[in-house]
Amino acid sequence: MTDTSSDKLIRAAERFLGKGETALTDVERQVLEQTIGKKALALDTSTVFDEKSTFGQRLADGVASFGGSWTFLISFGIVLLGWVGINLLLSRSAPDPYPFIFLNLLLSMVAAVQAPIIMMSQNRQAAKDRLVTSHDYECNLKAEIEIMALHDKVDQLRNDDLKQLIGKQQEQIELLTRLVESHMAAAAGKGEST
């Protein structure tokens, strides 16, 4: 009698997860099928996630990455100091004299654009983290199932070895019993002949 993959799935679900086939989640079903089929589950979630990214999402990640770097902070500080220095040196003929109203407008616009872009990037990072966590759960579940299966195999091997050992001991006991009986019979035969 050959087991179908459905029969194997049902037995594995009951044995390893303590659930019937209908109570399995999609993730549990997928992990059990991959375990039964002896297929690898591991994958690079970062690559999978990045492959699905749109141009706008990659751009948001790039802007957030650059906006949160020392390169940006230092260069932005230099630009600000240069702006203020030039406008102070030019005094009355400066394009943006003190209190630097145009600079304030530019800074407000940069902040207004940069904040939502950074939030988009953070949302994407959170989604990526959820994907990684979900994949980690799948890998851990498969590892647990594989370990339980290995325990079953080791237990079965130990039981088979014990049965063989008991069988051999039984044979030895029978052999020794026959040997002792024949020895006793021979000794009894010598005792009667004297």
Side-chain angles (χ1 to χ4, degrees):
M1 180 173 102
T2 59
D3 287 336
T4 64
S5 60
S6 179
D7 293 337
K8 288 180 181 178
L9 181 71
I10 292 168
R11 280 201 319 275
E14 291 170 353
R15 167 68 184 105
F16 299 121
L17 302 176
K19 296 180 176 183
E21 181 186 15
T22 56
L24 293 175
T25 65
D26 291 339
V27 170
E28 291 169 337
R29 179 179 301 279
Q30 176 187 350
V31 168
L32 282 172
E33 287 171 352
Q34 289 181 326
T35 302
I36 291 168
K38 302 199 183 311
K39 296 178 185 170
L41 182 68
L43 57 94
D44 184 359
T45 51
S46 291
T47 303
V48 170
F49 189 80
D50 291 340
E51 286 174 355
K52 295 179 182 178
S53 298
T54 64
F55 172 74
Q57 291 170 331
R58 287 192 305 273
L59 182 64
D61 287 345
V63 169
S65 177
F66 179 69
S69 68
W70 281 107
T71 304
F72 172 76
L73 288 174
I74 292 168
S75 59
F76 198 64
I78 291 170
V79 168
L80 288 177
L81 286 174
W83 183 277
V84 170
I86 289 172
N87 282 293
L88 286 176
L89 287 174
L90 295 176
S91 184
R92 292 188 187 257
S93 62
D96 186 23
Y98 181 82
F100 314 113
I101 294 172
F102 186 65
L103 177 62
N104 283 323
L105 175 65
L106 289 177
L107 292 175
S108 296
M109 289 187 335
V110 167
V113 171
Q114 193 178 23
I117 291 174
I118 290 171
M119 288 192 326
M120 283 190 288
S121 180
Q122 287 175 336
N123 289 340
R124 280 183 32 77
Q125 186 61 44
K128 189 176 188 177
D129 291 344
R130 284 191 298 276
L131 178 67
V132 168
T133 301
S134 173
H135 185 67
D136 285 348
Y137 168 72
E138 291 173 17
C139 289
N140 290 340
L141 181 61
K142 184 173 183 199
E144 278 186 55
I145 291 169
E146 291 285 353
I147 289 169
M148 285 189 272
L150 284 173
H151 277 288
D152 287 350
K153 287 178 183 178
V154 168
D155 290 345
Q156 185 62 43
L157 286 172
R158 189 185 66 226
N159 288 341
D160 291 347
D161 285 349
L162 285 174
K163 285 178 186 176
Q164 288 178 355
L165 182 62
I166 290 171
K168 286 180 182 177
Q169 285 179 337
Q170 201 64 28
E171 289 175 15
Q172 289 173 346
I173 289 171
E174 289 172 7
L175 184 62
L176 283 173
T177 303
R178 283 194 304 252
L179 189 61
V180 166
E181 286 173 352
S182 67
H183 197 23
M184 300 270 287
K190 280 186 183 179
E192 290 176 8
S193 59
T194 50

